Amino acid sequence: MESIRWFAAEHPRIVFGTAAAILFGTSMALKSPPDTDQRKLDFKNQSIKIEGAEGIRVSALNDIKNGEFFKVYDEFENLYDSFLGGEKKSNNGPCLGTKPPDSDTYVWKSYSEVRELALQFGSGLIEKGFKGGDETFVGIYASNREEWAITDIACTAYNIVSVPLYDTLGETSTKFIVNLVGITAVFCDNFKKVNRLLDQKPETESLKLIVVSKDEIPEEVASKGKEVGVELVTYKEMLAIGKKNLRDPTPAKNNDLFTICFTSGTTGDPKGVMLTHANQLCMAASVGAVGISVSSADSHLSYLPLAHSFERTILWVILACGAKYGFYSGDTKKLLEDVATLKPTVFIVVPRVLNRIYDKVTAGVKEANIVKRSLFNWAFASKKAALLKTGEPTKNSVWDSIVFKKLQMLMGGNVRIMVTGAAPINGEVLTFMRVVFGVTVLEGYGQTESTAGATITIAGDTNTGHVGPPLPCCMIKLVDVPEKDYFAKDGKGEICFKGSNVFRGYYKKPDLTAEALDKDGWLHSGDIGMWTENGTLKIIDRKKHIFKLSQGEYVAPEKLENIYVTCPLIAQIFAYGNSNQVRYKTRRLLII
């Protein structure tokens, strides 16, 4: 990131005082077509209120006159079918890409190659005695890599439930998850993770097989596995077993279990979110329904954790569309190098990434001499005015040629759509990215329990501070939170979802499921939202993550954290509040 400096090199064609360039730059009409057909929606009425006392809203794309309150998508019977559909759309084009160490190019496996590898891996599991069905669970304990995706595809081909494992839930989370779910086999990418599983084996009786993505298994590790009753095989050995004993695919039905994705929640043990094939399929269909066009010509760089629902959803959207899915090198310090090499057209980000880019660029502008600083500010103001007028970002204005091109090339130069989610983003940063990089930047909102997504902003809507209307696959209503003076009649309350994106429940946690899903099937998010005049949703508070001060006022720590984290000296922050403290007394802040 430190390499981002817009003024890194002089552009030989810059003629600052040329009147023609100034006139052309300030009056440049945006001629590039929008990346989606969402502009057909009326920005002033982005959602429709269904008649009734509950104040339910749905996407304006839904035909409520014919009783279509939310859409259920059934184009594919299961995720493996959607992968086959992507293979057909791609005409057997590139599917999964990996950048070898010390290489400046990506090596791609075609869709048919990935399909063959997935069937071999799945057949290997079947040969080892693991039968398909909702009660067979395979863990994936690895960083983003092609074997991660191949294992996931293999599980869908043979109706096996995949369960991502990851360390950020805590050191004991793997033991807890393996025990709770009864995981029988795990794919690992290194021996540190293998050893952790073997060390936990006395308390994880279900574990029988570990597949490790290495060429060979050291004798001491193999011996350790034998001692605790776990078979160890390499990934290549598993493929060879499957190739020799190849089975026909036996994929799941639409409403069968696809995965159990664990989330930390707020307190207690991790919660296993049960997502079906239908849940995941509706997200890919919703993306197409709102007009976000992804085709076989597109490419995506995977660097956000695949163990999280956000990136996992993107994986299956890309596969269903027949596009290219490339993996970063594994080193976040080299992320920009990976981006420059892959040149993605679809870039998925979280606010922290955009904030870092924004901070580096604006810091560089402030340090520049007055001529360069004035030129940048002039160019930015001109492009921003054009964006607010037309709603369409552009990369082909004169300002892009003489000011912003260097920055755009740091992202590979081909990015046309960015999607941000997982946390709120500052409106100023959002507009900045649209102007400087000339791309459509959409903000989504949802949670693991809603298969990552529930709303998304509409391309061409330049307003910020909201997360867009509901996706066509779900309905949203607001529920009274009287203890905080939020009432649905005022357009404010707890956000609740209902639709084909809502999860089945928490695995073996009926009490927690009953807390999240009410008797009518509404998922209670715990977030407080309000409807704007144009029918979009705005997140304004959190139901429980608040502190009540001694004089009766409420403070949401996330709001404080979002303000403090804008300081360039702060990387991470945790705000702690004590309701017994008086007003204005200093709160403790943990700054990392």
Side-chain angles (χ1 to χ4, degrees):
M1 295 296 182
E2 282 70 23
S3 61
I4 298 183
R5 292 289 187 271
W6 75 271
F7 54 88
E10 293 285 343
H11 195 295
R13 291 177 294 175
I14 294 180
V15 183
F16 183 67
T18 304
I22 295 174
L23 290 172
F24 181 65
T26 55
S27 62
M28 179 68 178
L30 304 181
K31 298 179 180 179
S32 57
D35 291 309
T36 77
D37 62 3
Q38 293 175 322
R39 287 181 58 79
K40 66 185 180 183
L41 293 178
D42 182 0
F43 291 161
K44 296 181 179 179
N45 298 284
Q46 297 185 32
S47 66
I48 302 172
K49 186 177 180 180
I50 298 175
E51 291 185 9
E54 293 185 283
I56 299 170
R57 283 188 171 269
V58 298
S59 168
L61 292 170
N62 291 24
D63 187 4
I64 64 171
K65 291 182 179 179
N66 294 322
E68 188 183 80
F69 292 160
F70 64 90
K71 294 182 180 179
V72 178
Y73 301 97
D74 55 5
E75 177 184 359
F76 299 109
E77 182 64 23
N78 52 68
L79 285 167
Y80 183 67
D81 284 349
S82 75
F83 169 76
L84 296 179
E87 180 181 2
K88 184 176 181 180
K89 293 174 184 176
S90 75
N91 195 25
N92 193 30
C95 179
L96 302 179
T98 300
K99 185 181 176 184
D102 302 321
S103 175
D104 58 356
T105 59
Y106 268 79
V107 177
W108 294 91
K109 284 183 171 62
S110 69
Y111 269 81
S112 64
E113 288 176 314
V114 170
R115 173 172 47 81
E116 290 172 2
L117 291 171
L119 294 180
Q120 289 171 13
F121 190 91
S123 295
L125 289 173
I126 301 299
E127 180 65 19
K128 288 290 184 181
F130 301 98
K131 299 179 180 179
D134 273 11
E135 297 303 319
T136 300
F137 303 96
V138 171
I140 306 178
Y141 194 13
S143 57
N144 295 21
R145 56 192 301 127
E146 67 177 41
E147 294 96 326
W148 207 115
I150 289 170
T151 302
D152 211 24
I153 297 169
C155 288
T156 67
Y158 294 96
N159 192 18
I160 294 172
V161 182
S162 57
V163 184
L165 302 170
Y166 51 107
D167 295 325
T168 53
L169 289 178
E171 293 184 1
T172 61
S173 66
T174 53
K175 178 175 65 177
F176 173 81
I177 294 171
V178 171
N179 275 336
L180 178 68
V181 177
I183 292 176
T184 50
V186 177
F187 167 78
C188 291
D189 60 348
N190 61 54
F191 289 112
K192 179 180 178 180
K193 294 171 182 174
V194 171
N195 282 318
R196 173 170 291 181
L197 290 171
L198 294 179
D199 290 339
Q200 296 171 348
K201 172 56 180 175
E203 301 176 64
T204 54
E205 296 181 359
S206 63
L207 186 60
K208 304 298 181 185
L209 174 70
I210 296 177
V211 182
V212 58
S213 183
K214 298 294 181 181
D215 291 335
E216 59 183 24
I217 299 171
E219 181 59 33
E220 63 272 19
V221 179
S223 298
K224 188 176 182 179
K226 290 179 181 179
E227 290 177 7
V228 297
V230 175
E231 182 182 4
L232 289 148
V233 298
T234 67
Y235 175 73
K236 289 183 179 179
E237 288 172 342
M238 181 60 93
L239 293 178
I241 293 170
K243 187 175 183 180
K244 187 178 180 180
N245 302 277
L246 202 61
R247 262 78 163 184
D248 291 332
T250 54
K253 300 298 183 182
N254 197 272
N255 288 312
D256 286 340
L257 194 58
F258 156 56
T259 188
I260 299 179
C261 187
F262 278 81
T263 177
S264 61
T266 54
T267 59
D269 294 321
K271 297 179 293 185
V273 177
M274 294 188 289
L275 298 175
T276 66
H277 286 255
N279 288 146
Q280 199 68 63
L281 285 168
C282 83
M283 297 309 297
S286 288
V287 166
V290 299
I292 302 176
S293 57
V294 179
S295 71
S296 59
D298 284 305
S299 57
H300 164 68
L301 179 68
S302 172
Y303 68 97
L304 297 176
L306 267 168
H308 295 175
S309 185
F310 188 19
E311 182 64 28
R312 185 89 164 283
T313 294
I314 299 302
L315 167 65
W316 283 100
V317 168
I318 293 294
L319 293 178
C321 295
K324 295 185 290 186
Y325 191 91
F327 297 90
Y328 84 120
S329 61
D331 185 351
T332 55
K333 295 179 181 179
K334 296 181 179 180
L335 181 59
L336 280 183
E337 295 179 20
D338 298 334
V339 172
T341 302
L342 183 63
K343 295 179 171 56
T345 60
V346 180
F347 198 58
I348 308 302
V349 293
V350 290
R352 178 175 295 182
V353 173
L354 297 183
N355 288 339
R356 293 286 175 85
I357 295 174
Y358 173 82
D359 290 342
K360 293 296 181 182
V361 175
T362 53
V365 172
K366 290 178 181 178
E367 294 171 4
N369 62 50
I370 188 171
V371 175
K372 292 179 179 179
R373 186 167 63 250
S374 298
L375 180 60
F376 182 94
N377 292 335
W378 194 349
F380 182 84
S382 177
K383 282 197 68 181
K384 180 180 178 180
L387 173 70
L388 296 179
K389 182 179 180 180
T390 66
E392 298 176 17
T394 182
K395 294 181 183 178
N396 59 7
S397 73
V398 68
W399 295 125
D400 293 297
S401 298
I402 65 176
V403 176
F404 302 122
K405 195 66 175 180
K406 295 287 185 180
L407 278 176
Q408 293 167 3
M409 290 308 298
L410 289 173
M411 304 291 288
N414 292 337
V415 176
R416 63 184 186 84
I417 299 177
M418 285 187 184
V419 180
T420 180
I425 184 169
N426 183 282
E428 182 179 346
V429 175
L430 201 61
T431 299
F432 184 88
M433 300 303 294
R434 290 168 175 165
V435 171
V436 172
F437 289 92
V439 299
T440 297
V441 186
L442 308 177
E443 183 177 7
Y445 163 71
Q447 53 190 157
T448 304
E449 291 85 346
S450 66
T451 321
T455 74
I456 195 165
T457 54
I458 303 301
D461 183 0
T462 57
N463 293 316
T464 60
H466 65 86
V467 291
L471 288 172
C473 65
C474 77
M475 318 187 268
I476 295 179
K477 71 174 181 178
L478 304 181
V479 176
D480 292 347
V481 186
E483 65 271 24
K484 297 190 67 177
D485 293 326
Y486 293 125
F487 297 96
K489 64 180 179 62
D490 301 322
K492 299 178 181 180
E494 182 184 9
I495 302 166
C496 297
F497 315 115
K498 186 176 182 179
S500 49
N501 61 331
V502 173
F503 77 137
R504 180 187 289 182
Y506 297 115
Y507 188 74
K508 290 185 177 179
K509 297 291 182 181
D511 53 337
L512 295 178
T513 298
E515 290 179 11
L517 284 172
D518 65 27
K519 60 182 179 61
D520 296 318
W522 286 95
L523 169 62
H524 291 246
S525 69
D527 291 321
I528 305 296
M530 65 172 289
W531 294 113
T532 65
E533 292 183 357
N534 62 1
T536 59
L537 185 66
K538 183 176 182 178
I539 313 300
I540 59 174
D541 207 342
R542 178 73 183 165
K543 186 176 180 181
K544 293 182 178 180
H545 288 176
I546 58 171
F547 302 114
K548 187 176 183 180
L549 306 184
S550 57
Q551 69 275 23
E553 293 182 9
Y554 286 94
V555 174
E558 290 91 345
K559 291 184 178 180
L560 297 177
E561 291 166 356
N562 288 336
I563 294 172
Y564 282 115
V565 81
T566 58
C567 173
L569 300 177
I570 298 175
Q572 292 181 328
I573 186 169
F574 172 77
Y576 166 77
N578 189 329
S579 297
N580 295 322
Q581 298 291 339
V582 298
R583 190 179 184 183
Y584 302 131
K585 187 166 184 177
T586 303
R587 264 62 180 173
R588 298 178 184 177
L589 297 175
L590 175 61
I591 301 176
I592 301 174

